[in-house]
Amino acid sequence: ATTITVTATPTPTEGYEIYVLEDKNYYRSLINDLKNAKKKILVAMYSMIYDPDDSFDWANDLIRELVNAKERGVNVKVIIEYRTYWGYMDDNLDAYDYLRVHGVNVQLDDEKDTDHMKLVIIDGRIVYVGSHNWSESALYYNHETSVKIVSEEIAKTYEAYFETIKTSAS
């Protein structure tokens, strides 16, 4: 028999809320939480596709909601993947430009290592993590699965991780 050793520190789950968000339920939950954000939104996203010519595109809605939050006084920080081991992700540039022009603190991760994460942290207590990119295909057509975790402890852990990525992407 093979023995598997887990090196991660276990985190207690008592009192935490965890929601499994399959397919379109991710968008429905996230757009609501973005609209209700009061203090801070952190986003690290592998693929963020902004298509201003598409009037029905849930990725556009999420990206625009980051700008709306910033305009409400929410501290919004976004890291979008740009350079990967395989090349450049030029499809992410429109989202980067849109957010930058609207005053959002956004940066492209131009490091050679690939940040393949799909991570959103809201108000230091809500975490979204999973397979959903911010693209029309991921949000509307693909089968995807993510989780929403409501926990200040877990949010703090992910915020610390976000800061390590921000540092390397600067």
Side-chain angles (χ1 to χ4, degrees), residues 37-129:
K38 304 280 188 259
K39 297 176 186 172
K40 181 167 51 171
I41 299 171
L42 305 175
V43 179
M45 195 60 51
Y46 176 73
S47 178
M48 185 182 285
I49 310 298
Y50 181 67
D51 183 2
D53 297 327
D54 189 344
S55 62
F56 182 80
D57 185 334
W58 287 356
N60 289 346
D61 296 348
L62 295 176
I63 294 163
R64 290 178 181 140
E65 196 54 46
L66 295 177
V67 171
N68 292 342
K70 192 253 181 222
E71 291 173 351
R72 288 195 315 271
V74 176
N75 179 9
V76 179
K77 296 179 183 177
V78 179
I79 301 169
I80 307 172
E81 184 63 32
Y82 181 57
R83 185 168 82 160
T84 70
Y85 179 77
W86 303 276
Y88 291 92
M89 296 185 59
D90 292 336
D91 288 347
N92 285 342
L93 292 176
D94 287 336
Y96 170 78
D97 289 339
Y98 175 80
L99 293 170
R100 185 180 48 80
V101 164
H102 288 88
V104 172
N105 180 353
V106 59
Q107 62 189 43
L108 291 173
D109 185 351
D110 197 18
E111 296 292 316
K112 198 170 190 176
D113 66 335
T114 301
D115 293 333
H116 197 254
M117 72 204 66
K118 296 87 176 172
L119 173 65
V120 181
I121 308 161
I122 301 171
D123 288 341
R125 65 180 289 272
I126 300 171
V127 175
Y128 285 83
V129 63

Side-chain angles (χ1 to χ4, degrees), residues 156-167:
K156 184 186 286 188
T157 299
Y158 272 112
E159 283 185 17
Y161 182 67
F162 180 91
E163 291 303 321
T164 68
I165 294 182
K166 183 177 177 235
T167 300

